[in-house]
Amino acid sequence: MGSIELTVFTPVYNREKELISLFDSLNAQTNQNFIWLIVDDGSTKNIEPLIHKFRESSKFSIEFIKQENQGKHIAHNTGVLNCKTE
């Protein structure tokens, strides 16, 4: 596997079921040469244990950022600022 060139970015707020579905979809991809960047915009539900579970079984890198609720547009900005790929 070469250097990682792609980031899959997901802003999230209280969407555990959707995150599970997305993880399953990403895990089924043939090419897993990507980073999954999740920015939690102040969810009232604790999704960190779910992210930890994902990390234990994923074949790709998962980065997680938790911030205070500031709105989806700020979560997007956080994702862009923390993206390490082009």
Side-chain angles (χ1 to χ4, degrees), residues 1 4 9 11-12 16 18 34 37 41 47 49 55 60 65 67 72 77 82 85:
M1 181 163 74
I4 296 175
F9 167 58
V12 64
E16 185 174 323
E18 289 83 354
F34 58 85
L37 173 58
D41 189 45
I47 64 168
R55 284 180 173 152
F60 49 87
I65 299 169
Q67 64 183 29
K72 188 176 180 180
N77 290 346
N82 287 276
T85 60

Side-chain angles (χ1 to χ4, degrees), residues 69-80:
N69 182 272
Q70 300 174 68
K72 188 176 180 180
H73 63 291
I74 301 297
H76 274 263
N77 290 346
T78 300
V80 169

Side-chain angles (χ1 to χ4, degrees), residues 24 40 48 54:
D24 290 342
D40 179 2
E48 289 180 69
F54 290 162

Side-chain angles (χ1 to χ4, degrees), residues 19-77:
L19 273 179
I20 293 168
S21 178
L22 180 53
F23 174 75
D24 290 342
S25 178
L26 292 173
N27 222 23
Q29 297 302 306
T30 304
N31 182 344
Q32 295 188 333
N33 189 18
F34 58 85
I35 296 170
W36 187 20
L37 173 58
I38 304 164
V39 175
D40 179 2
D41 189 45
S43 292
T44 57
K45 299 177 182 178
N46 184 8
I47 64 168
E48 289 180 69
L50 180 63
I51 304 303
H52 180 70
K53 187 176 177 182
F54 290 162
R55 284 180 173 152
E56 289 177 346
S57 62
S58 73
K59 298 172 190 162
F60 49 87
S61 178
I62 299 173
E63 294 185 21
F64 178 71
I65 299 169
K66 183 169 180 70
Q67 64 183 29
E68 290 184 27
N69 182 272
Q70 300 174 68
K72 188 176 180 180
H73 63 291
I74 301 297
H76 274 263
N77 290 346

